[in-house]
């Protein structure tokens, strides 16, 4: 595999840091809520994971050591899983809430 | 580079597809919300404007344009960003899945490029959201300070 081409295909790693900061800040706000506490922890975890992944991929770009590429891409994959949960949990809660509200409304009728 | 190890390090592509679909759905929902807003607001504002005097009518029109045009530009930018974020992540996850299935390294490079685009677009969304938080905090602090000052002045007048 062409390491140089892989290096060139990895860009915008500074934006990954911006994203990571956003996740951490959002998590820091969510942690203060009783119900949103798990989401806050998950958001901070996702932010830290993304920060670490972008660090590893930057090291791969600078040093050329493929070991950092593997670790960085693994970190990015873990970030995707955490981000997926971060979307799925509120979506499920909202759906359950809406169904419950419809049931309550229908029961009153 | 060890291709098998790189394949092994690429995981959770289903989660990536799910995130991409959510972004695309958000973009479509934003478009629908804007369209519904325009359909509801235009007849409403025409109704209000036709009832008031000419001077007030001009003031309302200028106010609506001053608020409406920046809002529409901002909404269009957010819609484009959400749609591009979703589409780039969807394409990246498809290309990386193909790399995992076929072992063709070209798909890995293209997938990584698309993933980089996703990071850039999502970064913009994060940055805009952070700026909005700051504006929100500043405005709410300003309003609460003004309200407190007003209430204390009313209290002082009542004491007099």
């Amino acid at each position: 595999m062409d390491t140089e081409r892989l290096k060139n295909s990895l860009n915008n790693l500074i934006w990954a840091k911006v994203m990571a900061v956003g996740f951490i800040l959002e998590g820091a706000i969510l942690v203060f809520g009783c119900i949103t506490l798990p989401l806050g922890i998950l958001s901070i975890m996702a932010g830290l994971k993304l920060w670490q992944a972008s660090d590893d991929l930057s090291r791969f770009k600078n040093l050329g050591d493929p070991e950092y590429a593997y670790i960085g891409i693994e970190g990015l994959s873990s970030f995707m899983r955490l981000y997926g949960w971060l979307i799925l949990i509120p979506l499920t809660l909202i759906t359950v809430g809406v169904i419950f509200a419809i049931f309550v409304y229908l029961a009153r009728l | 580079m060890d291709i098998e190890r790189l394949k092994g390090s690429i995981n959770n592509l289903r989660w990536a597809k799910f995130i991409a679909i959510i972004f695309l759905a958000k973009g479509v929902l934003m478009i629908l919300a804007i369209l519904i807003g325009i359909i509801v607001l235009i007849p409403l504002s025409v109704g209000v404007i036709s009832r008031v005097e000419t001077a007030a009518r001009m003031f309302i029109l200028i106010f609506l344009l001053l608020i409406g045009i920046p809002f529409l530009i901002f909404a269009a930018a957010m819609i484009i960003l959400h749609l591009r974020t979703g589409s780039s992540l969807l394409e990246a996850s498809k290309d990386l899945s193909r790399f995992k299935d076929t072992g063709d390294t070209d798909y890995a490079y293209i997938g990584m490029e698309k993933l980089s685009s996703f990071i850039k677009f999502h970064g913009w969304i994060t940055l805009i959201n952070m700026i909005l938080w700051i504006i929100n905090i500043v405005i709410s602090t300003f309003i609460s300070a003004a309200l407190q000052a007003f209430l204390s002045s009313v209290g002082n007048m009542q004491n007099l």
Side-chain angles (χ1 to χ4, degrees):
Chain A
M1 201 171 177
D2 188 357
T3 311
E4 283 307 311
R5 207 174 150 196
L6 189 65
K7 269 189 197 178
N8 291 333
S9 66
L10 288 166
N11 297 307
N12 308 313
L13 293 171
I14 289 172
W15 281 114
K17 294 237 159 60
V18 174
M19 261 172 85
V21 170
F23 274 98
I24 292 165
L25 282 178
E26 202 175 331
I29 294 165
L30 290 173
V31 152
F32 287 106
C34 222
I35 302 166
T36 56
L37 178 75
L39 284 176
I41 293 167
L42 210 61
S43 186
I44 291 171
M45 277 168 66
L48 292 174
K49 189 61 89 179
L50 184 60
W51 186 278
Q52 190 61 47
S54 69
D55 261 357
D56 288 327
L57 292 173
S58 296
R59 274 190 207 121
F60 166 63
K61 277 195 84 140
N62 294 329
L63 305 172
D65 186 353
E67 197 64 36
Y68 284 120
Y70 305 133
I71 298 167
I73 292 167
E74 258 171 37
L76 218 55
S77 301
S78 302
F79 162 74
M80 289 295 171
R81 194 187 63 226
L82 289 171
Y83 194 7
W85 278 112
L86 210 56
I87 293 172
L88 192 64
I89 292 169
L91 208 65
T92 312
L93 288 176
I94 290 166
T95 312
V96 169
V98 168
I99 291 168
F100 182 70
I102 291 168
F103 268 114
V104 169
Y105 179 72
L106 289 175
R108 278 190 178 181
L109 283 177
Chain B
M1 262 185 105
D2 185 358
I3 293 177
E4 285 308 312
R5 207 166 155 208
L6 190 66
K7 273 189 194 176
S9 66
I10 297 169
N11 295 309
N12 306 317
L13 291 171
R14 279 185 188 164
W15 280 116
K17 277 185 187 141
F18 169 69
I19 296 163
I21 288 164
I22 292 292
F23 268 102
L24 290 172
K26 263 170 112 174
V28 172
L29 281 176
M30 280 170 158
I31 293 171
L32 285 176
I34 292 288
L35 284 177
I36 291 167
I38 289 171
I39 290 165
V40 172
L41 274 179
I42 286 178
L44 209 78
S45 51
V46 167
V48 171
I49 287 166
S50 60
R51 280 181 209 155
V52 295
E53 290 170 15
T54 319
R57 198 176 292 171
M58 282 304 290
F59 176 75
I60 291 170
L61 270 173
I62 290 166
F63 182 76
L64 276 177
L65 286 176
L66 276 176
I67 298 281
I69 289 172
F71 175 77
L72 280 178
I73 292 167
F74 171 75
M78 282 307 260
I79 287 166
I80 291 165
L81 275 175
H82 274 84
L83 291 177
R84 292 205 71 175
T85 305
S87 62
S88 51
L89 184 58
L90 195 65
E91 281 173 20
S93 61
K94 274 183 189 167
D95 286 329
L96 292 173
S97 292
R98 276 185 207 129
F99 166 62
K100 278 194 81 141
D101 294 338
T102 62
D104 186 351
T105 49
D106 268 332
Y107 284 122
Y109 304 131
I110 298 166
M112 286 298 164
E113 267 171 26
K114 301 258 171 71
L115 208 62
S116 302
S117 301
F118 157 75
I119 287 170
K120 185 179 75 190
F121 292 127
H122 197 297
W124 270 109
I125 293 174
T126 310
L127 194 68
I128 291 170
N129 280 337
M130 282 202 280
I131 292 167
L132 285 179
W133 288 348
I134 293 164
I135 291 171
N136 193 13
I137 290 166
V138 169
I139 289 175
S140 55
T141 312
F142 178 74
I143 288 173
S144 68
L147 215 91
Q148 270 183 350
F150 173 72
L151 289 175
S152 64
S153 67
V154 168
N156 287 339
M157 279 171 73
Q158 278 177 343
N159 286 337
L160 284 170

